[in-house]
Amino acid sequence: MAHNINFNEATGQHAFMSVKQPAWHGLGQIVENYPTSREAIAFAGLDYEVTKAPIFAKGAGDFDTYPVPDQFATMRTDTKVVFGVVGKDYQIVQNSDAFAFFDGIVGGADGILYETAGALGNGERIFITAKLPGYIRVGSGDDVTQKYIFLTTSHDGSGSITAAFTPVRIVCQNTLNAALRNATNVVRIRHTAGAKERLEQTHKVMGVADTLSLRLEGIFNQWANVRIEDKEVKQLIQLALCPNKETYNLLRKGATEELSTMYKNACDAAFEYAMADDTQTMATTKGTLFGAYNAVKGYYQNVRSFKTGEDKLKSICLGGTAQARGQKAFNLCGDFAENGAVALQFN
């Protein structure tokens, strides 16, 4: 799987930093101690600035250039790489501003630690993860989920600034991203006037993290005590991974021979993960509803192949297919906990 981590030819380094543990792509700088924001920016190769440059048109056979009104190119100042074209109201949020968001949180909560940071492509998208203090503990305490805030922003005009609460189950590095049913774990900010000021106010993500952590711990501990049969796990996986109404109707009719090969292979791989992976044999996961939920999440995190690392990032953390399927699995598990059966519904 391609990683798409930015490579800086001037420094000869990939723009990625991780504390103690290397990422799956094995690139970037591995540091032993948790860095300050200033150190993290340097380690991750994010110490560059982006500017808005005016755009000029050149006529055919004409030596003159003509300014394009209200259109600008976003450009990296050190490499002179142009990221994209934006309008006059687009406001650049520098990489240092993104880290300043976390520094603002650190001032009000002890124990927040920068763990990974990096840039993708030519540096047009950056991401940061910071570990929060405390854990989500399931069962006797051996099944532990760490709590993170994840932030990403782009410099090419393609997306908003996104900050999200992301629980990660330690035993399998399984990004849970459970948003519950009527809550959100994501804050999005558009690149318009006042973006930096609003970014400074997104410390409310901390409040979201604290609230969701407590609720998730209660829910996951309940699910760890709810038994579920293997055939029900398979049915739950089929519904969670169901891509459309047509597939759902075939499932309801029992017409499995008409299901697409791609869909059936995905369901089989997720079910195999549910039954055989080491992380699914713990007291909290073996034959439990919590294990069924983690089977869907673990499939996307640890089994499913993606074309690039950026595709995986988008799918799991930025509202893509994996996150949607995980939310569906969460809802199905909630229904099962209440009713003792997998709800045969598509939405």
Side-chain angles (χ1 to χ4, degrees):
M1 179 171 62
H3 53 78
N4 203 29
I5 298 294
N6 173 244
F7 179 73
N8 190 327
E9 293 184 358
T11 63
Q13 293 183 327
H14 284 89
F16 179 80
M17 178 279 296
S18 180
V19 175
K20 297 181 181 178
Q21 295 295 325
W24 59 268
H25 46 68
L27 303 174
Q29 288 58 251
I30 310 304
V31 299
E32 287 302 313
N33 300 311
Y34 286 98
T36 64
S37 61
R38 186 182 298 273
E39 291 170 337
I41 289 173
F43 285 138
L46 302 181
D47 46 355
Y48 58 89
E49 291 192 348
V50 180
T51 188
K52 282 169 62 175
I55 297 176
F56 295 87
K58 183 178 179 181
D62 192 344
F63 290 103
D64 294 329
T65 57
Y66 307 90
V68 179
D70 299 331
Q71 293 292 299
F72 299 84
T74 55
M75 185 177 73
R76 182 169 168 169
T77 58
D78 59 345
T79 62
K80 303 302 187 289
V81 170
V82 173
F83 291 143
V85 176
V86 298
K88 62 182 178 63
D89 294 329
Y90 183 90
Q91 178 170 318
I92 293 171
V93 174
Q94 302 292 350
N95 298 342
S96 57
D97 295 328
F99 277 89
F101 158 67
F102 285 110
D103 283 340
I105 293 177
V106 172
D110 294 333
I112 293 180
L113 304 168
Y114 292 104
E115 187 149 296
T116 64
L120 300 174
N122 291 312
E124 65 270 16
R125 176 174 289 278
I126 72 158
F127 58 90
I128 311 164
T129 60
K131 186 164 66 173
L132 304 179
Y135 302 92
I136 297 172
R137 298 185 181 274
V138 182
S140 61
D142 293 333
D143 199 334
V144 176
T145 295
Q146 289 180 327
K147 302 180 294 183
Y148 290 84
I149 290 179
F150 170 85
L151 184 140
T152 184
T153 185
S154 63
H155 297 303
D156 59 2
S158 64
S160 59
I161 307 157
T162 301
F165 168 63
T166 303
V168 176
R169 188 164 172 250
I170 291 176
V171 291
C172 58
Q173 290 299 291
N174 172 11
T175 304
L176 295 175
N177 272 323
L180 305 184
R181 297 190 187 213
N182 300 307
T184 180
N185 62 338
V186 177
V187 173
R188 290 186 174 89
I189 303 167
R190 295 179 61 192
H191 284 266
T192 54
K196 286 172 60 176
E197 288 74 14
R198 291 197 300 279
L199 190 63
E200 293 169 2
Q201 298 302 313
T202 55
H203 58 262
K204 65 182 181 181
V205 176
M206 273 298 296
V208 170
D210 290 340
T211 300
L212 289 183
S213 295
L214 290 173
R215 293 175 66 183
L216 286 174
E217 186 168 83
I219 290 169
F220 291 159
N221 273 284
Q222 178 194 7
W223 289 359
N225 290 302
V226 176
R227 307 305 299 177
I228 184 170
E229 299 293 330
D230 292 351
K231 63 179 181 180
E232 293 171 319
V233 173
K234 189 168 188 177
Q235 187 179 38
L236 189 147
I237 288 171
Q238 289 174 330
L239 287 169
L241 270 58
C242 184
N244 50 51
K245 190 72 172 181
E246 290 72 23
T247 301
Y248 169 73
N249 289 333
L250 292 174
L251 287 174
R252 289 205 64 178
K253 291 190 299 183
T256 56
E257 69 284 353
E258 298 180 39
L259 296 169
S260 74
T261 300
M262 182 181 296
Y263 169 71
K264 287 192 289 186
N265 288 343
C267 291
D268 289 345
F271 184 69
E272 181 180 354
Y273 180 89
M275 297 295 105
D277 191 84
D278 289 344
T279 64
Q280 295 295 113
T281 62
M282 301 174 68
T284 53
T285 53
K286 186 176 178 59
T288 72
L289 191 59
F290 183 58
Y293 173 67
N294 276 289
V296 175
K297 301 300 298 184
Y299 162 70
Y300 282 104
Q301 181 72 20
N302 306 313
V303 180
R304 173 73 177 268
S305 295
F306 295 87
K307 290 183 179 180
T308 69
E310 187 170 5
D311 286 343
K312 184 173 183 178
L313 177 72
K314 290 178 179 177
S315 185
I316 293 174
C317 296
L318 300 178
T321 300
Q323 197 166 8
R325 300 289 184 262
Q327 184 62 55
K328 178 63 175 176
F330 187 93
N331 295 344
L332 288 165
C333 288
D335 291 335
F336 189 96
E338 293 178 9
N339 305 313
V342 178
L344 289 172
Q345 58 183 359
F346 176 81
N347 50 38

